[in-house]
Amino acid sequence: MAGQTGVERWVDEVARITRPDRIHWCDGSEGEYHKLIEGMVGDGTLIRLNQKSYPGCYLHRSNPSDVARTEHLTFICTSRKEDAGPTNNWMAPKEARERVGKLFEGSMKGRTMYVIPYIMGPAGSPYSKLGVEITDSPYVVANMRLMTRMGKVALDRLSGSNGFVPGLHSLGDLSPDRRFILHFPEERLIWSIGSGYGGNALLGKKCYALRIASWMGREGGWLAEHNMIIGLEDPTGQVTYIAGAFPSACGKTNLAMLVSPLQHLGYKVWTVGDDIAWLHVGPDGRLRAINPEAGFFGVAPGTSSKTNPNMMAAAGRNTIFTNVGVTPGGEPWWEGKDPTPPDGLIDWKGNRWAPGAEKAAHPNSRFTVPAGQCPSISPHWEDDDGVPISAILFGGRRARVAPLVYQSYSWQHGVFVGAGMASETTAAATGAVGVTRRDPMAMLPFCGYNMADYFGHWVAMGSRMKHPPAIFHVNWFRKDADGNFLWPGFGENVRVLMWILDRVRGRGKAVETPIGFVPAADGLEMDGLKLPAGTMQELLSIDRDAWSKELEDQGKFFEQFGDRLPNEMRQEHAKLAQRLSRVRVPLSPAETSKGS
Ligand code: O2Y
Ligand code: MN
């Protein structure tokens, strides 16, 4: 129709195929949100929680076959298979359109089709981007309102531009046999059908802000990363910003909301984001980060006032809980919230919970919380120009091989450290415990293109910056020979952040090792923390045999990329091998005299 905008044309086209009973354009207002919530309470999609102790909070129970992202049903649909790379599932765009297009035919019959215009990033930021999600799930609309800037604010910005990423989502029949999460990065298009859950359905999050945006970032000279962003305040009040990539179940959100036990020394952590960062080179030649999201989609089990008091405070109001248990008093409950399950608990499927039976909350149960409610939220979390990043952390769950922290020798070496990242699985993630999964930059499930090219893009980013951030690897999960964690973690991780801050400022006691700079035995601030004798040495030690095996595993992982693997990664791999071949075993900083 003449005079129609690009969005209107697309909405009409989608409506012709999916045949909804009604179309609702979301304005993002309070009134609209409350109407949606009331509708969902009315039809049982949401359960109202205790409004005295949890004002504005609701519980949603998803279909038990639809409780997590489904990586095996997630595809990158590029014209050439090699552009998706060996670590992604690939489907040819034509096949994807035919196979999955059919599933959308009439999929919204009897339902309302919601059109959600949204912004990823602060409304006024030059680094923010627009999206429009079409969905037939009011639960998705309510979550998108918490996770993005949606409605009028986005529509206003959209009217001046045709540049938006369309994302089509339908619950379909929720059958895993007809579930597909498709990304067409060349067209900047997302299709998702058959799931109403989290990363599969809230298309602004993993689908757009990571898979499609990583492709856009390579073309546009920026990075879309699976990163938390924090500011570390020092005793003078100066705040240094740090980004950090960690695979799921490695405490990324807890680190983003860390409560420092060293506030009496003047150190405090501010939260900018807990999951995704968009990183651009600013006019000052520094890497600047925005958090493209407006909320947290946090995992409930294990979250408590001990492990993450900031999240507990944030999730006490205006929150949508998904797949947690509920107490007879109408309060949400999950394993790890407090030590004793209350009597009369109802589990995540709506059944009476009995001790020894299944968990009360699903291991991937979640809360969706507005970020602004977090007590540690940084006053700069919505700055249009983002925050300047001085350090990048890569981290995984490694029982043996990685020391508590080490610093790379250069940007290129740091990219290799990120590319060689791996983490050991926990029961919550896969059911298999302690299996090492290689997960470069924590982006394995989220990189929208060939990871070899992604490593190349990271290397190239180094030369675009006048002041590239220093790169570190951290491991909070090292264990002793009896399988006990050596490091207390949580708030105590601020001690590691302080060493990182010192290093960024050209200070901080360190020793040169084959893998990078490791803190000297007395390098970390230990005020108020007593570790058993020898623990710090063990935490910082480097076992050459374990590293030789690591080197071999990394080499095998890199092999799958063939000639596409950047030479810089081969060079760094060879340099690490060489450095390892030169040292005695085992090596711990206490034995090393070379300082830096
Ligand atoms: O299972 C899902 O759909 C959620 S996964 C998720 C949610 C919030 C932040 N990160 C993740 C992740 O898997 O990295
Ligand atoms: Mn994540």
Side-chain angles (χ1 to χ4, degrees):
M1 208 200 293
Q4 271 192 319
T5 63
V7 187
E8 285 164 346
R9 268 195 302 277
W10 177 62
V11 169
D12 277 0
E13 186 191 321
V14 169
R16 262 197 311 277
I17 295 165
T18 58
R19 300 202 286 282
D21 283 13
R22 289 165 297 279
I23 299 179
H24 176 86
W25 286 72
C26 299
D27 62 20
S29 64
E30 277 282 315
E32 176 184 77
Y33 182 71
H34 287 297
K35 228 169 131 181
L36 266 172
I37 295 280
E38 286 312 315
M40 287 190 278
V41 170
D43 69 14
T45 304
L46 290 183
I47 295 161
R48 200 186 305 280
L49 293 171
N50 186 324
Q51 295 298 299
K52 271 214 175 105
S53 47
Y54 283 85
C57 293
Y58 299 86
L59 166 65
H60 172 70
R61 295 191 182 120
S62 69
N63 185 302
S65 73
D66 186 26
V67 291
R69 286 187 295 106
T70 43
E71 286 177 22
H72 63 294
L73 304 173
T74 300
F75 292 82
I76 302 295
C77 307
T78 42
S79 336
R80 291 183 309 187
K81 187 174 184 193
E82 59 271 28
D83 290 339
T87 60
N88 277 314
N89 300 316
W90 175 80
M91 209 188 288
K94 187 163 175 288
E95 184 198 342
R97 282 186 178 276
E98 282 168 12
R99 239 173 103 185
V100 181
K102 276 197 199 91
L103 302 178
F104 281 107
E105 285 172 15
S107 69
M108 297 191 187
K109 265 193 218 162
R111 300 178 185 163
T112 299
M113 178 173 116
Y114 299 93
V115 182
I116 315 169
Y118 63 95
I119 307 176
M120 296 309 290
S125 171
Y127 304 133
S128 296
K129 303 229 168 279
L130 290 161
V132 178
E133 175 163 354
I134 291 179
T135 180
D136 52 10
S137 160
Y139 164 81
V140 165
V141 180
N143 276 274
M144 284 291 283
R145 187 169 184 274
L146 300 174
M147 294 302 294
T148 70
R149 283 96 178 162
M150 71 91 120
K152 188 176 177 314
V153 62
L155 210 50
D156 288 350
R157 201 167 143 165
L158 200 57
S159 58
S161 129
N162 261 336
F164 69 95
V165 169
L168 169 57
H169 169 254
S170 174
L171 295 169
D173 61 7
L174 285 183
S175 162
D177 296 337
R178 284 174 290 281
R179 182 174 298 159
F180 291 94
I181 324 300
L182 306 181
H183 306 75
F184 301 83
E186 290 150 332
E187 299 163 61
R188 317 261 196 271
L189 170 69
I190 305 160
W191 277 7
S192 165
I193 189 158
S195 166
Y197 195 82
N200 291 339
L202 311 177
L203 301 187
K205 193 172 178 60
K206 304 296 188 179
C207 298
Y208 184 171
L210 288 177
R211 298 194 190 98
I212 297 289
S214 60
W215 180 288
M216 293 165 87
R218 182 188 42 165
E219 289 187 341
W222 52 282
L223 292 164
E225 294 300 321
H226 192 200
N227 279 12
M228 58 104 224
I229 312 162
I230 52 175
L232 177 61
E233 184 174 326
D234 73 10
T236 70
Q238 195 184 333
V239 181
T240 301
Y241 293 92
I242 301 172
F246 298 82
S248 314
C250 289
K252 183 149 58 89
T253 299
N254 290 344
L255 182 63
M257 294 173 195
L258 180 152
V259 176
S260 166
L262 299 180
Q263 291 207 32
H264 61 286
L265 299 183
Y267 290 90
K268 177 182 164 53
V269 167
W270 295 98
T271 309
V272 178
D274 82 323
D275 195 41
I276 298 176
W278 285 356
L279 303 150
H280 289 77
V281 181
D284 53 358
R286 305 191 65 183
L287 197 60
R288 305 198 72 92
I290 60 161
N291 172 7
E293 302 191 277
F296 308 125
F297 188 58
V299 71
T303 305
S304 70
S305 40
K306 262 199 172 146
T307 60
N308 194 338
N310 283 316
M311 186 60 110
M312 289 303 284
R317 63 200 151 97
N318 309 322
T319 296
I320 298 177
F321 293 86
T322 302
N323 293 341
V324 298
V326 62
T327 70
E331 296 190 344
W333 198 88
W334 53 84
E335 279 71 18
K337 185 180 183 218
D338 41 55
T340 337
D343 288 338
L345 190 58
I346 304 294
D347 74 11
W348 67 278
K349 290 182 185 160
N351 301 320
R352 190 70 189 256
W353 180 81
E358 275 191 63
K359 303 245 186 261
H362 186 275
N364 194 36
S365 54
R366 299 270 164 179
F367 30 68
T368 322
V369 185
Q373 288 186 187
C374 180
S376 60
I377 200 74
S378 159
H380 299 288
W381 82 283
E382 297 190 283
D383 280 7
D384 287 347
D385 295 333
V387 293
I389 298 296
S390 299
I392 294 176
L393 316 185
F394 294 121
R397 191 177 269 275
R398 303 305 302 268
R400 302 264 177 263
V401 69
L404 180 61
V405 56
Y406 64 97
Q407 180 185 6
S408 74
Y409 287 124
S410 63
W411 176 265
Q412 180 174 303
H413 177 221
V415 175
F416 170 76
V417 169
M421 241 174 89
S423 195
E424 289 145 18
T425 54
T426 60
T430 60
V433 184
V435 176
T436 304
R437 168 169 138 138
R438 303 228 75 87
D439 190 354
M441 280 91 169
M443 281 289 278
L444 191 79
F446 306 122
C447 184
Y449 61 103
N450 190 316
M451 280 205 118
D453 301 348
Y454 170 74
F455 302 149
H457 178 45
W458 261 85
V459 172
M461 282 294 291
S463 48
R464 303 172 87 107
M465 284 177 274
K466 210 154 89 201
H467 309 287
I471 299 182
F472 299 81
H473 187 281
V474 298
N475 174 27
W476 319 130
F477 302 98
R478 192 144 179 178
K479 289 182 176 171
D480 66 13
D482 299 325
N484 304 308
F485 287 115
L486 288 162
W487 179 249
F490 298 104
E492 303 299 350
N493 294 338
V494 75
R495 299 171 194 277
V496 174
L497 299 180
M498 285 164 65
W499 182 77
I500 287 169
L501 177 62
D502 276 348
R503 295 297 295 167
V504 163
R505 292 177 173 170
R507 301 193 291 261
K509 285 199 208 164
V511 292
E512 211 176 306
T513 78
I515 64 165
F517 292 113
V518 170
D522 61 346
L524 295 193
E525 173 61 66
M526 294 303 280
D527 179 84
L529 176 65
K530 245 193 145 29
L531 294 181
T535 299
M536 189 47 83
Q537 277 76 8
E538 206 175 337
L539 273 164
L540 299 176
S541 70
I542 292 144
D543 177 338
R544 196 178 63 179
D545 291 344
W547 272 93
S548 296
K549 175 158 184 328
E550 181 72 359
L551 198 68
E552 204 182 305
D553 285 356
Q554 287 175 340
K556 277 194 200 132
F557 180 77
F558 288 145
E559 258 170 37
Q560 66 183 314
F561 298 105
D563 292 348
R564 214 144 161 161
L565 185 75
N567 257 335
E568 290 86 349
M569 295 300 97
R570 286 183 216 290
Q571 281 163 16
E572 290 299 332
H573 193 245
K575 281 200 232 171
L576 174 59
Q578 211 172 50
R579 290 194 300 261
L580 280 166
S581 71
R582 281 197 227 116
V583 291
R584 287 179 304 113
V585 282
L587 178 80
S588 86
E591 301 172 62
T592 320
S593 54
K594 213 167 173 190
S596 165

